[in-house]
Amino acid sequence: MRRRIFHSSSPSFLYFFHLCLSCNGVAKPMPRPKLIYVESAQNQGLGIASNNTACKPLLELLPEGYDAGELDQLISYLINKEDSTGVVLVGHSTGCQDIVHYLRTNAACSRAVRAAILQAPVSDREFRATLPETAEMIDLASTMINEGRGDELMPLRANPDAPISAYRYHSLCAYMGDDDMFSSDLTDDQLKTRLGHMSQTPCQVIFSMADEYVPEYVDKKALVERLCKAMGGAEKVEIEWGNHSLSNRIQEAVQAIVDFVKTEGPKGWDDPWH
């Protein structure tokens, strides 16, 4: 029997975002990253330029990310206290890595994740490699980690506008670092190792074809095809002329998300809450 991703008109959406890089490669300060619970999903938008969608921050996160246990507690709260029928995880930029990490944990409440949407899953490593200071800073981060100082902050010039630890810098910028998941030079086997578990969850990949943080040498069409394949056949959405944040293609992005959430799930969908 085929089941819809949601059985009610009020699913919960968790929206993830992290530090955005400015066009000159410097980390641009943003409000402290939050998990956003979107109480309703109207056709006008999912908390994006919508007057009909109520959003409320439930958890403020440290700039370097969050613990999977905290996210699990939040999902548990939505299920048990807010009567949610499940959640859809929506990740922007580095928030995409957060979702991939969480779904790999097999945490107790991860079964309540009805779907995952990755918007702008780009390689921090490939973008940072275009900056002159990156190679030296990766070497420094590696040295600090080997000396047991991975939690210490990198020099200011590694990331002038936002503090970053040696571990976090290495995770984002080093080849096969913990957050190196979407690089175009990874082999198909490497991508599958990092993303293959996503095949257990209905996924949508929204890729901006004019993303300013994807180097010009990267074949964007080929990359998004490989990412979706590694995830077991995720739905692919290519937004022509869309920038990294999709601020110039908001309605197109929102419609793609709404259409995806309305689609039916795979046969044999295991619904732990009904």
Side-chain angles (χ1 to χ4, degrees):
M1 177 180 178
R2 295 177 66 85
R3 301 188 184 183
R4 299 184 67 82
I5 290 176
F6 283 101
H7 300 278
S8 75
S9 59
S10 298
S12 300
F13 286 78
L14 301 182
Y15 181 65
F16 298 75
F17 62 92
H18 275 253
L19 294 175
C20 286
L21 296 177
S22 64
C23 292
N24 62 3
V26 175
K28 183 179 181 180
M30 296 181 64
R32 288 169 62 86
K34 294 179 174 64
L35 290 178
I36 304 298
Y37 169 35
V38 183
E39 294 180 317
S40 61
Q42 305 291 341
N43 286 338
Q44 291 84 354
L46 305 179
I48 306 173
S50 169
N51 294 325
N52 298 319
T53 301
C55 303
K56 58 182 178 182
L58 292 184
L59 180 65
E60 287 199 356
L61 306 173
L62 295 175
E64 289 193 20
Y66 59 88
D67 180 81
E70 293 175 335
L71 175 55
D72 212 49
Q73 291 176 23
L74 173 56
I75 295 176
S76 176
Y77 174 85
L78 294 175
I79 297 298
N80 297 309
K81 302 297 184 181
E82 297 283 338
D83 296 324
S84 174
T85 60
V87 298
V88 170
L89 303 181
V90 185
H92 164 66
S93 195
T94 311
C96 297
Q97 284 103 309
D98 293 338
I99 290 175
V100 173
H101 278 305
Y102 174 70
L103 291 179
R104 186 186 292 119
T105 65
N106 290 318
C109 291
S110 63
R111 296 177 66 209
V113 177
R114 296 292 190 265
I117 299 169
L118 307 184
Q119 187 263 310
V122 302
S123 170
D124 295 271
R125 173 171 65 83
E126 288 187 316
F127 176 74
R128 288 289 187 126
T130 66
L131 307 178
E133 71 276 4
T134 300
E136 178 187 356
M137 291 296 102
I138 291 175
D139 289 342
L140 175 60
S142 297
T143 298
M144 293 173 66
I145 292 170
N146 291 335
E147 293 175 350
R149 299 189 292 125
D151 291 336
E152 293 184 17
L153 295 180
M154 293 286 288
L156 182 61
R157 63 193 182 95
N159 215 44
D161 290 342
I164 189 169
S165 71
Y167 165 75
R168 181 61 171 165
Y169 189 89
H170 187 274
S171 176
L172 290 170
C173 301
Y175 176 72
M176 291 296 285
D178 288 345
D179 283 302
D180 187 15
M181 301 179 183
F182 310 123
S183 296
S184 64
D185 60 352
L186 296 181
T187 67
D188 289 344
D189 286 342
Q190 287 172 325
L191 288 176
K192 187 174 181 179
T193 297
R194 302 213 152 195
L195 303 174
H197 63 283
M198 301 293 287
S199 64
Q200 303 301 311
T201 304
C203 293
Q204 180 186 59
V205 175
I206 303 177
F207 207 91
S208 301
M209 304 311 286
D211 195 312
E212 60 270 33
Y213 300 114
V214 179
E216 292 185 2
Y217 66 81
V218 174
D219 184 335
K220 297 182 182 68
K221 285 185 175 292
L223 175 59
V224 68
E225 185 71 30
R226 294 180 64 221
L227 294 178
C228 290
K229 181 179 178 181
M231 295 167 65
E235 178 180 298
K236 176 182 64 176
V237 178
E238 297 176 355
I239 306 293
E240 294 296 332
W241 309 112
N243 59 23
H244 185 65
S245 66
L246 287 177
S247 60
N248 63 338
R249 290 291 187 275
I250 291 175
Q251 292 303 318
E252 187 175 349
V254 167
Q255 191 59 55
I257 292 173
V258 170
D259 291 344
F260 172 69
V261 173
K262 286 183 176 180
T263 61
E264 293 184 339
K267 288 184 178 180
W269 180 267
D270 181 15
D271 187 344
W273 308 108
H274 295 280

